[in-house]
Amino acid sequence: MSDDMIAGNLTVRDVGAKDEADVRKLVAAAFPSDLEARLVEKLRHCGALVLEQVALNADGKLLGHIAYSRVTPAAIGPGQGLQVACLAPVSVWPEVQRRGVGTALITASLKRLNELQEDLVLVLGPPSYYPRFGFDPVLARKVQGPYAGDAFMALALTEAGSRDLPIEVAFATPFEEFE
């Protein structure tokens, strides 16, 4: 199957309760350990997820998953009212990676986050991958939290998302396993 055939025939939709077991298998398969799969489950069940979506092929087969969790700004300064989310993780079955599934998920979900009036999105990931979606390590330097460096990037979805910085943030409790 060609790259275009996969990416061009995807449906991206919100995760439903019936998807949870398949999502767990997918996320576990996409990473070297089950740490990310456990993270998604913990974020989901503690109510920290802002958005969780899946990508399906034309036959309805689950090919990818993406999750965003709430990041809380400190209760001081102009950034305290910002709506901040963290992308983590994006998962694609290993046999269909590098065929546009992750790109489709990220693009569709960022559009949805914009509709949900999120101001700022954070990600910790490969600096060679996320800038194509507008994520910027320079902007992320204005966000103080447990992560730093060029792998920590930010994307402002609103004017406030870049104007009301710098801010200090706290990630959802399940992320403590990664710190």
Side-chain angles (χ1 to χ4, degrees):
M1 189 176 274
S2 77
D3 294 356
D4 293 336
M5 287 182 67
I6 288 183
N9 289 318
L10 290 178
T11 299
V12 176
R13 65 160 172 79
D14 290 350
V15 167
K18 66 183 183 336
D19 298 317
E20 291 182 16
D22 290 336
V23 164
R24 185 177 196 347
K25 291 176 195 165
L26 164 68
V27 178
F31 293 94
S33 78
D34 72 342
L35 191 62
E36 285 83 359
R38 290 195 329 261
L39 173 66
V40 169
E41 286 186 340
K42 288 177 182 179
L43 290 169
R44 185 186 300 130
H45 294 292
C46 78
L49 289 182
V50 174
L51 181 65
E52 185 179 14
Q53 295 188 308
V54 289
L56 308 164
N57 70 8
D59 297 327
K61 182 181 187 299
L62 178 72
L63 297 183
H65 169 267
I66 195 164
Y68 293 85
S69 59
R70 176 61 61 221
V71 175
T72 309
I76 54 170
Q80 69 184 2
L82 290 176
Q83 294 295 308
V84 184
C86 173
L87 187 173
V90 60
S91 310
V92 177
W93 285 108
E95 63 270 17
V96 292
Q97 288 177 0
R98 302 189 189 286
R99 292 188 173 177
V101 177
T103 296
L105 273 167
I106 293 168
T107 302
S109 61
L110 288 174
K111 181 179 177 189
R112 182 70 184 122
L113 287 174
N114 197 30
E115 293 167 356
L116 294 171
Q117 300 180 330
E118 292 293 316
D119 295 301
L120 187 67
V121 181
L122 306 174
V123 69
L124 187 67
S128 61
Y129 184 74
Y130 288 99
R132 74 181 77 177
F133 304 102
F135 285 94
D136 181 5
V138 175
L139 182 62
R141 290 185 192 121
K142 297 178 180 180
V143 179
Q144 182 182 354
Y147 309 108
D150 286 342
F152 183 55
M153 293 166 270
L155 170 64
L157 296 179
T158 65
E159 183 182 324
S162 56
R163 178 192 66 220
D164 295 347
L165 301 177
I167 59 170
E168 183 178 344
V169 299
F171 285 74
T173 303
F175 278 97
E176 290 174 359
E177 287 186 54
F178 288 88
E179 292 175 15

